[in-house]
Amino acid sequence: MKKKFLREGIAIGLLFLAALYYLGDWFFKDEIVLFRDLHHYFYPLREYTIQCFKRGIFPWWNPYIMLGAPHFAAMQFGVLYPLTFIYFIGSFPFAFNLFIFAHLFLTAVFAFLFFRELKFSTLACGWGALSWMMSGYLASAINLLNILGSITWLPLVL
């Protein structure tokens, strides 16, 4: 039993290193992941959300979109999403990348637990989790934070 926990701990540690390697270029340079919707859409809107909270204002309304738009009511901004607290850690570019990293790592851990529940070997669980984390679908979902935040929890739900 002790060996099983050690093997699983090593496997999860390797998944952590794989996620870190995957995002390492941006993660350690205090730069954001720049592609598609992240830079032009999600980054400024998430920063607006956090700036409102830091000033003690609840972000009901965003006056910077066209002539103003509901901010809290839009699902994409994740105003009350539980892992939004990550944005309060360090500089905003670092926290933005940490948010993405946390979701990649969490979905890998949840996939590992899902495969373990199906009674696969530790090696098979690790490979399955790594395959899910590095899949094309998750790579394409990185630029859509609302989708990434949703599918992160899919293996846990299953």
Side-chain angles (χ1 to χ4, degrees), residues 12-35:
I12 289 173
L14 289 173
L15 290 171
F16 178 84
L17 292 175
L20 198 58
Y21 178 76
Y22 189 54
L23 290 176
D25 288 344
W26 296 290
F27 203 63
F28 295 111
K29 294 180 184 174
D30 207 28
E31 299 173 357
I32 65 164
V33 179
L34 292 175
F35 69 100

Side-chain angles (χ1 to χ4, degrees), residues 23-85:
L23 290 176
D25 288 344
W26 296 290
F27 203 63
F28 295 111
K29 294 180 184 174
D30 207 28
E31 299 173 357
I32 65 164
V33 179
L34 292 175
F35 69 100
R36 296 177 41 186
D37 290 347
L38 279 179
H39 182 255
H40 298 292
Y41 185 71
F42 285 103
Y43 186 88
L45 294 171
R46 294 285 170 109
E47 188 170 25
Y48 173 75
T49 302
I50 298 308
Q51 290 304 320
C52 284
F53 281 132
K54 286 182 177 179
R55 289 187 301 231
I57 302 167
F58 191 82
W60 296 103
W61 187 260
N62 187 338
Y64 302 110
I65 298 176
M66 295 187 213
L67 295 174
H71 193 77
F72 173 64
M75 179 182 72
Q76 294 90 343
F77 310 141
V79 174
L80 296 181
Y81 181 60
L83 295 183
T84 299
F85 78 89

